[in-house]
Amino acid sequence: MFTEGLFTKLLQLEDGWFVESVETDFKQEEIYIQIECVLEELEDAETGELCRVYDHAPVREWRHLDTMQYRTFLRCKLPRILTSSG
């Protein structure tokens, strides 16, 4: 739990977002950080409307800054919202 809490703070995740797990592949020198969102509502970036989260997209992966010599990747199932416009 220390590692997950550390990366949650280092990534400056907002309330409702947290690091679920951290996997390290020492042989390949890679770190995989799984981020989760537990919010039931999110703001629509275009309208500012507060919308209900209805599900999560399949896992996506992004390359992040290296952690020391380890290539670091973020993984997340992004939440999808239901807007009033459909």
Side-chain angles (χ1 to χ4, degrees), residues 18-56:
F18 66 97
V19 173
E20 172 69 26
S21 63
V22 178
E23 298 175 34
T24 307
D25 183 335
F26 293 105
K27 190 173 185 174
Q28 296 293 323
E29 294 188 336
E30 294 178 341
I31 296 174
Y32 298 92
I33 301 170
Q34 179 69 41
I35 298 173
E36 297 291 331
C37 176
V38 294
L39 297 172
E40 294 181 12
E41 294 181 319
L42 287 169
E43 186 177 307
D44 181 348
E46 293 179 12
T47 65
E49 173 187 14
L50 196 58
C51 302
R52 184 175 67 83
V53 173
Y54 69 91
D55 77 349
H56 292 80

